[in-house]
């Protein structure tokens, strides 16, 4: 069905709490991404995963970690959330890693208070 | 590092007119230039791309032009419709092709 699904869509957490954002795709895409989107900063790459257990830091990995144990699932974990991690997080997937189309989820809005 | 500048932060056009969004980049090695559309509260959706081996590509009402000498590429939307209203992002590949650097987006409003 060519879909990227993100859960949860909205989340409010207290500073210091752990956050788990989950992403699934049904296209058997090898490559998956986590981005955050902030006004005035555009899209920033947090992590990229080239396949199961093959993850690489993006441009802003500090404060985040990821897990990819199955090709169709890619999780973003915030251990001890900070207020500056309030953002909209987007997961995306693509076939291979050679400049192919990215398919995005609908986003997860995280507010850290 | 590589930068992508999206020149118009907002653009307002009348329905039926053309809209043009311009982006410039810094890395002469860049070879892949996609455009994405984001409607309010949604994720990004691919609209069209161009690779460095051509200088023009068209898909229905969308045209992408690439000027490698000027390191500039542009999205032209012809015969605009209200449903074209959205934020449009340009991007450029860096290093291995799976990494993209994104422009800050252009908010296009098509007025009926």
């Amino acid at each position: 069905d060519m879909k990227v699904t993100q859960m949860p869509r909205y989340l409010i957490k207290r500073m210091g709490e752990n956050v788990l954002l989950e992403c699934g795709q049904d296209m058997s895409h090898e490559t998956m991404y986590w981005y955050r989107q902030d006004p005035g900063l555009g899209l920033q790459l947090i992590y990229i995963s080239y396949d199961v257990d093959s993850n690489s830091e993006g441009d802003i990995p500090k404060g985040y970690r990821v897990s990819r144990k199955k090709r169709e699932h890619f999780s973003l974990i915030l251990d001890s959330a900070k207020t500056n991690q309030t953002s909209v997080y987007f997961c995306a997937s693509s076939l291979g890693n050679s400049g192919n189309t990215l398919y995005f989820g609908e986003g997860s809005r995280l507010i850290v208070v | 590092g590589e930068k992508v500048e999206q020149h118009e932060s907002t653009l307002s056009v009348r329905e039926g007119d053309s809209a043009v969004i311009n982006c410039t980049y810094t890395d002469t090695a860049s070879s892949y230039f996609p455009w994405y559309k984001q409607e309010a509260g949604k994720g990004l959706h691919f609209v069209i791309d161009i690779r460095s081996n051509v200088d023009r590509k068209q898909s229905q009402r969308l045209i992408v032009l690439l000027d490698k000498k000027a390191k500039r590429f542009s999205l032209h939307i012809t015969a605009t419709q209200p449903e074209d209203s959205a934020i449009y992002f340009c991007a450029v590949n860096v290093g291995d092709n799976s990494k993209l650097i994104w422009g800050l987006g252009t908010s296009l409003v098509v007025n009926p």
Side-chain angles (χ1 to χ4, degrees):
Chain A
D1 198 29
M2 299 178 75
K3 196 170 172 66
V4 176
T5 303
Q6 291 186 233
M7 292 292 289
R9 294 291 315 279
Y10 303 95
L11 191 59
I12 300 177
K13 285 286 194 178
R14 294 187 190 277
M15 200 165 56
E17 289 185 328
N18 298 333
V19 177
L20 173 64
L21 302 181
E22 303 201 82
C23 175
Q25 48 99 358
D26 60 3
M27 298 166 277
S28 294
H29 283 168
E30 299 95 327
T31 310
M32 296 187 73
Y33 313 75
W34 276 107
Y35 286 94
R36 63 179 281 177
Q37 185 179 37
D38 301 287
L41 295 177
L43 274 171
Q44 299 176 89
L45 179 65
I46 305 171
Y47 268 94
I48 182 171
S49 174
Y50 295 102
D51 212 328
V52 171
D53 284 329
S54 179
N55 306 318
S56 182
E57 293 181 346
D59 299 317
I60 53 161
K62 188 177 179 183
Y64 304 94
R65 59 183 176 94
V66 292
S67 175
R68 189 150 179 223
K69 297 301 181 186
K70 293 182 180 180
R71 178 171 278 193
E72 62 269 24
H73 286 127
F74 190 34
S75 300
L76 180 69
I77 301 120
L78 290 66
D79 295 312
S80 187
K82 300 173 180 54
T83 54
N84 62 7
Q85 292 177 308
T86 292
S87 187
V88 181
Y89 291 87
F90 286 99
C91 174
S93 72
S94 68
L95 184 64
N97 61 356
S98 56
N100 290 317
T101 299
L102 269 63
Y103 294 83
F104 282 83
E106 296 287 84
S108 295
R109 181 175 290 277
L110 170 67
I111 297 174
V112 182
V113 297
Chain B
E2 167 73 277
K3 288 184 182 176
V4 177
E5 187 172 353
Q6 197 161 342
H7 293 259
E8 299 82 7
S9 58
T10 60
L11 185 59
S12 182
V13 300
R14 206 177 314 179
E15 183 177 357
D17 288 350
S18 292
V20 183
I21 303 170
N22 296 285
C23 287
T24 53
Y25 60 98
T26 55
D27 188 355
T28 52
S30 295
S31 60
Y32 177 62
F33 309 88
W35 288 87
Y36 285 78
K37 175 183 181 182
Q38 185 179 32
E39 294 170 356
K42 306 255 181 177
L44 282 73
H45 288 269
F46 171 82
V47 291
I48 193 169
D49 61 14
I50 192 167
R51 297 180 193 268
S52 57
N53 59 339
V54 296
D55 54 19
R56 185 183 191 277
K57 183 174 180 179
Q58 181 165 2
S59 174
Q60 299 180 320
R61 295 186 296 109
L62 302 177
I63 301 169
V64 183
L65 302 178
L66 174 62
D67 182 343
K68 291 189 289 290
K69 279 187 180 174
K71 288 187 275 188
R72 176 173 54 224
F73 60 113
S74 56
L75 174 66
H76 298 244
I77 307 173
T78 62
T80 53
Q81 301 167 1
E83 51 265 39
D84 293 329
S85 295
I87 301 175
Y88 290 82
F89 291 91
C90 64
V92 173
N93 72 306
V94 292
D96 69 32
N97 284 330
S98 55
K99 291 188 181 176
L100 295 173
I101 297 295
W102 298 82
L104 294 184
T106 297
S107 177
L108 173 65
V109 175
V110 179
N111 300 297

